[in-house]
């Protein structure tokens, strides 16, 4: 300490106490007291400084100078502006000025100092006035306490707090801390958003206020359980301010803070899961209702064919209860043939499933004949499908069956009558063939003997007898024609040849060559377009063309006959048309003319009325149809179809 400072200190301490008389003693006492104070100030670990009225440091102890990173010599005489950062000049000045003007000391006055190395330190100073002998304030003195470490710790704590607050607020769900009375101590912004209370309102409400009334008793119990056990979780409906209920899964953990127990926890919104579960329950209920009330038989069997579930209709239709059916072996429940097919199908389905070749959306169709408890059976038409777990793995087989007994009976009856029809047709054809074939011989005898009679006894018979003879001869001839035609008709089915590819234009030319005389006599003109190769019995197809074209020539009008033959593809068939310019046919007879021995134009025209019947029979044998379009006086067009065949199908 410099001499002038010593003097000053002496002055400070002595002010108002010294008397003039005992100067020496006083001087001594003062010196020793000054020494004591100086030593205290020097040695004091606490910073001490004095500032004069101009704001300059007039004294500073070693500890204070050290704090600032200076030596005492460097600091004495410094203005506060040199060791206080600029942003604190004003606040520093204000604090000093206040003590200076009022004389009231400032305790714990926060001060910031700029150290020599440019870093900052924080003080909390006790600032009090320096007075002269008259009690006037001449300066300030301060005792500095370094609180830098404390400040840094506070700042770190603040950072930590901000970090945890940010963390809590950024949590996806809700976060809360409640005390044992259920009052909210902390919660994150999500929590207040979910329930819709402002932070102000949040201070007033308690945990139970945000729990739906119907869950409160259960949650209260749960909370006390968690307070006891340390942790737990629960599903609860949160009650928002607007009355909405939001399903949440809440976790809670007991924590002890400052000697008190709290519950700390988080919560996640499970609305979607709860809604999905509700929808699933609802749909399961609907499906069960459907399955229980459907007329279809719904059965679930496991991979070993054990019955797992059966609809009420399955019990009703068979007369066996579910429990009975569970115990019955498969061959008591379904007919042997059905057992075989069902097992084979199930095994195939399981195999495909294992190999991964089965399309999960596909179902297998099978008809099963079920046994009933009265000994009768019912036919069912079934769809089999795997039921699957969440991973898509097959767990069981669902079989949905429909009673088709009536349809089965009708099908069986139809099959039987078709068989019967086929048999009687065959018999009839056989009969017609045999009859016409066997009648030919006696008929030939009748006509040849009548002709012989005519030849030998012509001269001895009168004209009446001759007429009778002529009638008998022509009758026998007509009968012969009829029998020939009948024979031809019955031969279509019984004497047909196997089908082969045939060029339809060749068929047409063959027919025309057979009709050469008739064409020539009637001066008929026959034309045709492109004709395809078809698949059939050539001889019979020639007959079809011949029978239709002969009519077109025979039933001509005033004009010489004109016939046009064409063929066009038509939806998998060849559609043939044979058009003429003849007398035409009234539509009311369209069906009749295809029947055996049906004729419209009687005696004026030759014929037996069998040509079109034979044509129709041949076309039907080829899998085609025949019909016509016509109006009287406007010509006729006969149509028939023959199926087109792919090359690969020729061998059929
Ligand atoms: P048919 O020619 O021997 O009388 P079809 O069975 O061939 O026997 O014909 C049955 C009847 O249909 C014929 O008698 C005739 O009345 C009528 N008909 C058939 N084709 C024609 C045609 N192109 N124009 C007018 N009438 C026809």
């Amino acid at each position: 300490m410099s001499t002038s400072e010593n003097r000053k200190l002496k002055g400070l301490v002595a002010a108002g106490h010294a008397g003039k008389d005992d100067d020496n003693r006083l001087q001594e006492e003062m010196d020793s007291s000054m020494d004591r104070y100086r030593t205290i100030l020097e040695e004091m670990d606490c910073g001490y400084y004095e500032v004069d009225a101009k704001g300059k440091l007039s004294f500073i102890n070693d500890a204070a100078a050290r704090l600032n990173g200076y030596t005492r010599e460097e600091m004495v005489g410094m203005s506060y502006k040199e060791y206080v950062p600029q942003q604190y000049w004003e606040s520093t000045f204000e604090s000093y000025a206040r003590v200076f003007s009022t004389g009231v000391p400032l305790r714990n006055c926060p001060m910031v100092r700029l150290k020599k190395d440019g870093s900052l330190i924080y003080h909390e100073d006790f600032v009090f006035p320096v007075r002269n002998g008259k009690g006037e304030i001449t300066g300030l003195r301060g005792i500095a306490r370094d609180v830098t470490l404390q400040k840094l710790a506070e700042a770190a704590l603040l950072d930590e707090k901000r970090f945890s607050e940010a963390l809590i607020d950024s949590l996806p769900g809700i976060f809360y801390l409640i005390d044992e009375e259920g009052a909210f101590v902390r919660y994150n912004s999500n929590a207040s958003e979910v329930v819709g209370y402002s932070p102000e309102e949040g201070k007033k409400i308690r945990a139970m206020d945000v729990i739906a009334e119907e869950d409160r008793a259960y949650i209260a119990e749960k909370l006390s359980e968690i307070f006891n056990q340390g942790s737990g979780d629960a599903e609860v409906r949160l009650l928002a301010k607007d009355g909405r209920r939001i399903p949440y899964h809440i976790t809670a953990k007991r924590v002890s803070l400052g000697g008190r127990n709290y519950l700390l926890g988080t919560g996640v919104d499970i609305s979607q899961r709860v809604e999905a579960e509700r929808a699933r329950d609802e749909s399961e209920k609907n499906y069960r209702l459907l399955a229980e009330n459907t007329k279809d038989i719904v059965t679930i069997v496991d991979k070993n064919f054990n019955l797992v579930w059966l609809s009420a209709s399955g019990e009703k239709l068979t007369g066996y209860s579910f429990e009975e059916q569970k115990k019955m072996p498969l061959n008591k429940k379904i007919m042997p043939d059905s057992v075989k097919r069902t097992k084979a199908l199930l095994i195939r389905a399981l195999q495909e499933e294992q190999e991964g070749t089965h399309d999960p959306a596909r179902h297998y169709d099978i008809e099963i004949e079920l046994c009933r408890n009265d000994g009768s059976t019912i036919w069912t038409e079934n769809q089999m499908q795997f039921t699957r777990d969440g991973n898509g793995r097959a767990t069981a087989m669902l079989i949905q069956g429909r009673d088709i007994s009536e349809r089965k009976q009708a099908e069986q009856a139809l099959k039987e009558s078709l068989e019967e029809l086929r048999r009687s047709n065959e018999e009839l054809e056989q009969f017609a063939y045999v009859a016409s074939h066997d009648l030919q011989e006696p008929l030939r005898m009748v006509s040849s003997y009548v002709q012989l009679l005519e030849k030998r006894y012509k001269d001895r018979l009168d004209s009446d007898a001759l007429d009778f003879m002529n009638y008998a001869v022509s009758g026998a001839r007509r009968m012969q024609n009829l029998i020939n035609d009948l024979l031809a008709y019955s031969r279509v089915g019984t004497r047909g040849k196997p089908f082969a590819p045939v060029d339809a234009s060749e068929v047409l030319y063959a027919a025309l060559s057979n009709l050469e005389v008739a064409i020539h006599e009637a001066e008929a003109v026959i034309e045709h377009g492109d004709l395809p190769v078809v698949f059939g019995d050539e001889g019979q197809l020639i007959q079809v063309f011949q029978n239709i074209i002969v009519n077109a020539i025979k039933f001509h009008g005033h004009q010489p006959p004109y016939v046009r033959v064409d063929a066009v593809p038509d939806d998998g068939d060849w559609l043939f048309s044979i058009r003429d310019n003849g007398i035409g046919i009234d539509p009311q007879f369209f069906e009749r003319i295809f029947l055996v021995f049906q004729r419209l134009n009687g005696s004026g025209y030759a014929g037996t009325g069998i040509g079109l019947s034979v044509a129709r029979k041949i076309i039907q044998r080829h899998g085609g149809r025949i019909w016509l379009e016509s109006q009287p006086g406007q010509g006729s067009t006969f149509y028939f179809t023959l199926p087109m065949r792919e090359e690969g199908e020729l061998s059929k």
Side-chain angles (χ1 to χ4, degrees):
M1 196 185 281
S2 70
T3 336
S4 68
E5 280 169 335
N6 268 340
R7 264 202 301 275
K8 202 169 173 189
L9 257 181
K10 281 176 194 161
L12 269 172
V13 178
H17 294 283
K20 280 184 183 172
D21 299 337
D22 41 12
D23 257 9
N24 279 340
R25 196 178 45 84
L26 204 59
Q27 188 64 43
E28 259 171 41
E29 274 180 23
M30 264 174 62
D31 281 350
S32 83
S33 155
M34 280 302 292
D35 275 350
R36 239 183 2 256
Y37 281 120
R38 194 180 56 199
T39 314
I40 293 169
L41 288 175
E42 296 290 322
E43 298 305 320
M44 201 163 70
D45 207 23
C46 206
Y48 173 82
Y49 61 90
E50 288 174 12
V51 179
D52 65 14
K54 290 195 178 111
K56 292 201 168 163
L57 273 177
S58 51
F59 174 81
I60 185 159
N61 75 351
D62 204 36
R66 228 181 311 118
L67 270 180
N68 289 283
Y70 291 99
T71 61
R72 293 167 59 196
E73 286 71 23
E74 283 172 323
M75 285 203 84
V76 171
M78 266 189 181
S79 154
Y80 70 91
K81 289 192 175 174
E82 288 172 77
Y83 55 85
V84 172
Q86 194 171 359
Q87 65 265 41
Y88 297 101
W89 286 355
E90 210 179 313
S91 57
T92 307
F93 176 78
E94 270 174 18
S95 306
Y96 284 169
R98 184 147 14 117
V99 178
F100 203 83
S101 59
T102 61
V104 180
L106 278 179
R107 290 179 191 280
N108 300 330
C109 174
M111 294 283 180
V112 184
R113 299 279 188 252
L114 184 64
K115 283 175 72 172
K116 190 179 178 183
D117 64 8
S119 62
L120 297 181
I121 50 167
Y122 297 88
H123 284 186
E124 265 178 20
D125 290 3
F126 178 37
V127 186
F128 51 103
V130 177
R131 293 176 193 271
N132 60 16
K134 293 178 204 153
E136 291 159 353
I137 296 173
T138 58
L140 302 168
R141 55 179 61 135
I143 296 171
R145 190 160 61 92
D146 182 7
V147 292
T148 307
L149 281 177
Q150 187 184 327
K151 276 272 172 201
L152 288 175
E154 273 172 21
L157 206 65
L158 199 68
D159 281 351
E160 181 88 349
K161 197 170 166 230
R162 281 203 199 106
F163 172 74
S164 57
E165 249 157 31
L167 188 77
I168 288 167
D169 276 344
S170 67
L171 284 177
I174 62 175
F175 167 88
Y176 66 90
L177 181 69
I178 53 171
D179 64 18
E180 264 177 306
E181 277 72 52
F184 284 107
V185 181
R186 285 288 305 276
Y187 48 85
N188 66 352
S189 50
N190 264 348
S192 45
E193 262 168 43
V194 167
V195 287
Y197 288 102
S198 70
E200 275 313 302
E201 291 169 320
K203 285 179 192 154
K204 289 176 207 144
I205 58 169
R206 307 180 82 77
M208 278 302 165
D209 296 329
V210 293
I211 305 288
E213 290 92 347
E214 60 271 27
D215 290 348
R216 282 182 193 164
Y218 149 71
I219 288 297
E221 204 174 297
K222 193 85 197 172
L223 287 184
S224 68
E225 184 185 306
I226 296 171
F227 265 117
N228 285 333
Q229 291 176 357
S231 66
D233 67 331
E235 281 186 11
V236 64
R237 271 157 290 197
L238 293 186
L239 179 66
K241 193 182 164 191
D242 60 11
R244 272 180 310 119
R245 282 157 164 71
I246 316 145
Y248 259 76
H249 178 253
I250 303 284
T251 64
K253 194 170 168 50
R254 187 188 59 212
V255 287
S256 181
L257 302 169
R260 291 193 58 191
N261 273 340
Y262 295 88
L263 279 191
L264 173 134
T266 57
V268 287
D269 189 336
I270 51 167
S271 311
Q272 279 188 347
R273 198 199 76 203
V274 169
E275 175 53 26
E277 278 170 5
R278 194 201 57 73
R280 193 199 57 206
D281 287 351
E282 170 112 6
S283 108
E284 190 167 324
K285 218 166 73 192
N286 286 342
Y287 277 120
R288 197 162 274 269
L289 201 71
L290 194 77
E292 269 161 11
N293 292 292
T294 177
K295 280 189 180 164
D296 290 354
I297 304 175
V298 184
T299 314
I300 299 178
V301 294
D302 67 15
K303 290 175 182 175
N304 300 317
F305 312 119
N306 295 320
L307 188 62
V308 177
W309 195 83
L310 178 72
S311 62
S313 53
E315 298 182 317
K316 212 169 108 189
L317 280 171
T318 55
Y320 290 117
S321 72
F322 170 58
E323 290 305 325
E324 283 173 318
Q325 295 205 34
K326 247 166 90 170
K327 287 179 214 136
M328 282 162 74
L330 197 61
N331 58 7
K332 288 271 180 300
K333 288 190 278 192
I334 63 182
M335 294 296 278
D337 172 61
S338 296
V339 174
K340 222 161 64 189
R341 284 183 298 108
T342 309
K343 277 196 167 173
L345 189 69
L346 276 172
I347 288 164
R348 178 159 68 88
L350 284 170
Q351 215 161 29
E352 285 181 7
E353 180 71 19
Q354 264 163 18
E355 288 163 2
T357 51
H358 175 64
D359 169 7
R362 212 189 97 200
H363 49 69
Y364 300 89
D365 295 320
I366 186 169
E367 288 185 356
I368 301 176
E369 194 176 8
L370 297 179
C371 305
R372 307 177 69 173
N373 69 345
D374 63 3
S376 64
T377 65
I378 35 170
W379 271 100
T380 55
E381 177 186 68
N382 300 274
Q383 283 192 350
M384 305 208 304
Q385 220 170 350
F386 284 112
T387 58
R388 294 175 186 282
D389 63 13
N391 298 319
R393 271 192 300 264
T395 49
M397 182 64 104
L398 179 109
I399 307 168
Q400 195 178 350
R402 181 159 299 178
D403 180 0
I404 51 157
S405 304
E406 266 178 42
R407 199 185 78 196
K408 271 277 168 186
Q409 276 159 13
E411 272 175 17
Q412 187 57 28
L414 192 70
K415 212 167 117 190
E416 281 166 12
S417 32
L418 275 177
E419 179 55 28
E420 177 63 25
L421 199 68
R422 196 193 56 76
R423 205 178 41 73
S424 76
N425 255 349
E426 221 168 62
E427 267 176 24
L428 218 62
E429 266 177 7
Q430 204 58 34
F431 169 75
Y433 177 74
V434 172
S436 40
H437 184 267
D438 292 358
L439 278 174
Q440 271 181 330
E441 194 43 43
L443 193 62
R444 234 195 316 272
M445 249 171 82
V446 172
S447 68
S448 46
Y449 280 105
V450 174
Q451 278 166 23
L452 202 63
L453 261 180
E454 190 196 13
K455 212 167 153 189
R456 295 240 182 114
Y457 301 99
K458 205 158 94 186
D459 304 338
R460 283 181 250 172
L461 295 174
D462 63 11
S463 67
D464 271 0
L466 279 177
D467 280 348
F468 295 159
M469 202 106 76
N470 278 340
Y471 292 150
V473 170
S474 81
R477 201 174 293 133
R478 269 216 331 275
M479 199 163 162
Q480 204 148 27
N481 285 342
L482 284 171
I483 284 172
N484 277 343
D485 284 350
L486 201 58
L487 199 58
Y489 183 78
S490 68
R491 272 178 177 158
V492 174
T494 53
R495 297 289 186 276
K497 297 226 169 63
F499 292 176
V502 191
D503 185 342
S505 35
E506 297 296 331
V507 171
L508 175 66
Y509 298 145
L512 294 183
S513 122
N514 292 346
L515 296 172
E516 207 181 314
V517 180
I519 292 169
H520 181 72
E521 278 177 2
E523 293 174 7
V525 175
I526 321 278
E527 286 182 349
H528 69 90
D530 283 340
L531 299 180
V533 171
V534 292
F535 192 70
D537 177 338
E538 189 178 13
Q540 290 189 339
L541 291 180
I542 293 173
Q543 191 141 33
V544 171
F545 277 98
Q546 195 174 317
N547 290 8
I548 295 172
I549 294 170
V550 79
N551 285 344
I553 298 167
K554 193 160 59 173
F555 300 105
H556 66 81
H558 301 297
Q559 306 289 327
Y562 170 79
V563 182
R564 168 85 201 182
V565 182
D566 282 292
V568 286
D570 177 41
D571 194 20
D573 289 332
W574 283 110
L575 173 63
F576 286 85
S577 60
I578 302 175
R579 178 163 56 85
D580 67 43
N581 60 345
I583 59 173
I585 304 167
D586 190 326
Q588 63 171 311
F589 302 122
F590 282 0
E591 260 311 297
R592 211 173 101 188
I593 57 171
F594 288 105
L595 300 177
V596 182
F597 300 138
Q598 291 297 325
R599 313 189 64 225
L600 304 179
N601 310 91
S603 52
Y605 299 88
T608 57
I610 205 148
L612 290 179
S613 328
V614 169
R616 179 156 85 170
K617 209 166 174 210
I618 292 171
I619 293 301
Q620 282 173 347
R621 183 177 168 236
H622 282 74
R625 291 176 299 121
I626 183 166
W627 71 98
L628 74 148
E629 282 172 8
S630 180
Q631 282 297 333
Q634 308 209 342
S636 311
T637 307
F638 281 81
Y639 295 97
F640 62 87
T641 62
L642 289 173
M644 278 181 190
R645 306 256 172 176
E646 301 286 324
E647 242 175 89
E649 289 180 308
L650 288 181
S651 57
K652 261 192 184 173

